[in-house]
Amino acid sequence: MSRPWWKNAVGYQVYPRSFKDTNNDGVGDIAGIIEKLPYLKSLGVDFIWINPIYKSPNVDNGYDISDYEDVQPEFGSLNDFKILLDKAHDIGIKVILDLVVNHTSDQHPWFIESKKSKDNPYRDYYMWADATPDKMPNDWTSFTGNSTWTYDETTKQAYFHVFAPQQPDLNWRNPKLRQEIYKMIRWWLDLGIDGFRMDAISHIQKAPFDYEPPKDDPWKPFMNVKGIDDYMAEMRDIFNQYDIMTVGEASGVSSKQAPEWTDPNKKGYINMIFEWEHNAREGEEGHERINVDEMKQVLSRWQKDQENSGWNALYFENHDNPRINTILGNETKKSAKAIAMSYFFLKGTPFIYQGQELGMTNYPFKSIDEVDDDESQIRYHNMVNSGKDPKEALQIITHWTRDHSRTPMQWTSDIKAGFTEGTPWMKINQNTKTINVESEMADPDSVLNFYKKMIAFRKSEPTFIEGNYDWFLQSDPDVYAYLRTDDKKQFLVIVNFSKQKKIVTLPKELMNDKWQVKLTNTTEKNLTEQFEMEPYDGFVYECEN
Ligand code: GLC
Ligand code: CA
């Protein structure tokens, strides 16, 4: 079998609401993505993953879908999407869409029907159980921290949801529901899209409702639960009929289990998984940073557990996480580049989140009114209701809120960032004065130009596709260092995440005079056993065997 296209591909995540607004209503749109295709091409990416563009009441920014086969009018029309797909394909960019099938919106016609009566034909598309307003069917906790159940007066039962109450979970045990979902999946694939990012896919099966979760693991009843394999296998059999890629958001699937999911010689449900574990935090609530030590261990474990079987998805940023250049870096060009080097040469398919390639930073939230995200809002109000000082609550939720990644893309130094001429749906970070596409294109030393170089370099070296991964300097708390090796070449990646200067001792057996710097964010220098690194120094060295 020849190597699938996505193994040597670089992906770019587009958050459509915040990418580019063309009709000045303050919301990004499909026409905006079309307008920026040449930009994406010049960056060198092979595919884009677009967050949900389907019809939605927008409680969770499109992750609450009310029509799977139509486009949210704010974003444009289905026809606009078809144009985007054609134009992207014309210039060799593939298009992946979000597949959100753990739940729908409570405004989806299926749920509206389901709510009507116990014997409605759509009742079993969702999960209902007897309840009273003060006694839910069980006391499981949802991802919002509140109950997984919402009581409904009409039929005196409660329905189940692992996210917000406006996102009722679909009942995957129902074969009729599954057939509807599969029909929809085929509909999009037949339209010509190149794959799916599968949202919250590890939650589609639930434990029996009398199951009591362990105190320290409240979400266990819907994390990769027994029975999910049957559904995943059914979807795989559809996916395998198309030349597409699939990446699953699959928390609860461990690195040990991952090869079963991603190796086509095993169960091979999907091509790769976005693991969540490496987003390890340390420090007091409201002041957390990434725990570098744990991050290194998690990344290495996933590399090793899928080294000979399965495949990894590589990322630092997405629409659910703060900006990496703030929480791991120090908001400089240099740290943005160091962070980029540290994950881009791991084994797997790298993803870049919009603005990451500019070194965009967190937004300085000053008031709860500036926060859009439903999850952060719920957490804030829970805290304030239980007596927390509102200022402190704001600090806690805004420190790590996913809204940081959702402020508009910074195209120009203009006060509206070249994103819109209207009022943007979310505040624009004022550092767009210096961090923006236009200025960075003109600056040879910019983060953007560094990304371009890095992408081209990664794609030019087959060692980065199949080469082995070896982790060294394992016990250093600040420096991440690894080797990628095949029979022709060896690459050494080394990054200092510390704000201090460091001197590390490299393994003797690596020392020879053939190492050459291929990529760095500082002055080139020879590789030596006693290796001195300034804060956020990063290097990629190459050695021909
Ligand atoms: C995933 C998405 C997130 C969304 C949730 C519910 O975690 O990435 O943005 O809120 O699923 O669909
Ligand atoms: Ca618009």
Side-chain angles (χ1 to χ4, degrees), residues 20-29 74-75:
K20 170 70 193 174
D21 175 22
T22 56
N23 64 348
N24 297 323
D25 63 354
V27 173
D29 40 53
E74 273 179 313
F75 291 148

Side-chain angles (χ1 to χ4, degrees), residues 60 63 103 163 167 197 199 249 319-320 402 406:
D60 186 16
Y63 281 96
H103 48 270
F163 294 98
Q167 295 167 294
R197 177 266 188 184
D199 182 66
E249 188 197 29
H319 64 294
D320 289 328
R402 48 189 189 169
R406 300 178 178 188

Side-chain angles (χ1 to χ4, degrees), residues 150-187:
T150 292
Y151 181 73
D152 188 57
E153 200 45 60
T154 324
T155 54
K156 307 221 174 332
Q157 285 196 322
Y159 66 89
F160 183 87
H161 51 87
V162 299
F163 294 98
Q166 298 90 336
Q167 295 167 294
D169 280 43
L170 288 164
N171 177 16
W172 276 74
R173 288 199 162 88
N174 180 352
K176 246 179 93 188
L177 174 271
R178 298 209 299 278
Q179 288 315 315
E180 297 248 28
I181 296 290
Y182 302 156
K183 212 173 89 200
M184 176 273 285
I185 288 177
R186 284 183 187 282
W187 188 84

Side-chain angles (χ1 to χ4, degrees), residues 84-348:
L84 165 62
L85 192 59
D86 282 347
K87 294 207 160 166
H89 285 169
D90 283 349
I91 58 168
I93 292 181
K94 297 187 190 274
V95 179
I96 309 286
L97 290 184
D98 234 289
L99 180 69
V100 189
V101 291
N102 176 70
H103 48 270
T104 65
S105 159
D106 62 350
Q107 301 307 308
H108 193 290
W110 297 341
F111 191 71
I112 294 174
E113 283 302 311
S114 184
K115 260 178 94 160
K116 284 183 178 163
S117 69
K118 286 187 185 170
D119 54 10
N120 187 284
Y122 289 91
R123 187 68 169 181
D124 289 336
Y125 274 43
Y126 298 85
M127 284 162 280
W128 293 91
D130 288 337
T132 68
D134 8 76
K135 179 118 189 61
M136 290 302 151
N138 62 29
D139 38 80
W140 295 1
T141 312
S142 75
F143 292 119
T144 64
N146 297 338
S147 172
T148 52
W149 297 95
T150 292
Y151 181 73
D152 188 57
E153 200 45 60
T154 324
T155 54
K156 307 221 174 332
Q157 285 196 322
Y159 66 89
F160 183 87
H161 51 87
V162 299
F163 294 98
Q166 298 90 336
Q167 295 167 294
D169 280 43
L170 288 164
N171 177 16
W172 276 74
R173 288 199 162 88
N174 180 352
K176 246 179 93 188
L177 174 271
R178 298 209 299 278
Q179 288 315 315
E180 297 248 28
I181 296 290
Y182 302 156
K183 212 173 89 200
M184 176 273 285
I185 288 177
R186 284 183 187 282
W187 188 84
W188 281 104
L189 293 176
D190 291 337
L191 204 78
I193 67 165
D194 303 289
F196 290 114
R197 177 266 188 184
M198 301 171 78
D199 182 66
I201 199 66
S202 50
H203 313 315
I204 58 177
Q205 175 75 328
K206 281 76 179 168
F209 287 140
D210 58 5
Y211 172 80
E212 285 202 27
K215 285 266 165 312
D216 59 349
D217 198 359
W219 299 328
K220 197 169 174 185
F222 33 88
M223 289 290 196
N224 189 20
V225 169
K226 201 167 143 246
I228 194 173
D229 290 83
D230 299 340
Y231 317 148
M232 294 306 298
E234 289 175 356
M235 283 190 275
R236 171 201 58 206
D237 294 344
I238 302 171
F239 297 152
N240 283 349
Q241 295 166 25
Y242 299 83
D243 180 22
I244 55 164
M245 72 166 270
T246 50
V247 47
E249 188 197 29
S251 45
V253 177
S254 69
S255 57
K256 285 269 173 305
Q257 295 164 327
E260 278 299 324
W261 279 57
T262 65
D263 183 344
N265 298 313
K266 298 186 170 164
K267 287 173 182 156
Y269 304 141
I270 54 181
N271 301 134
M272 60 192 98
I273 287 175
F274 283 129
E275 51 83 15
W276 261 95
E277 290 179 83
H278 77 270
N279 301 298
R281 310 178 199 181
E282 67 183 353
E284 213 183 304
E285 229 194 356
H287 303 275
E288 302 104 312
R289 289 187 45 85
I290 291 204
N291 179 333
V292 174
D293 196 37
E294 205 179 322
M295 176 192 90
K296 289 186 347 176
Q297 290 187 37
V298 172
L299 290 175
S300 291
R301 173 158 50 76
W302 279 80
Q303 288 288 299
K304 276 298 166 196
D305 288 348
Q306 295 205 97
E307 186 163 35
N308 302 311
S309 172
W311 193 252
N312 279 301
L314 312 169
Y315 76 99
F316 265 134
E317 287 189 19
N318 60 29
H319 64 294
D320 289 328
N321 275 304
R323 291 289 182 179
I324 195 73
N325 199 21
T326 301
I327 56 168
L328 179 56
N330 60 357
E331 301 197 337
T332 58
K333 289 203 274 191
K334 188 175 183 189
S335 67
K337 295 175 191 172
I339 291 165
M341 275 183 272
S342 74
Y343 86 106
F344 221 74
F345 300 101
L346 294 169
K347 187 169 180 177

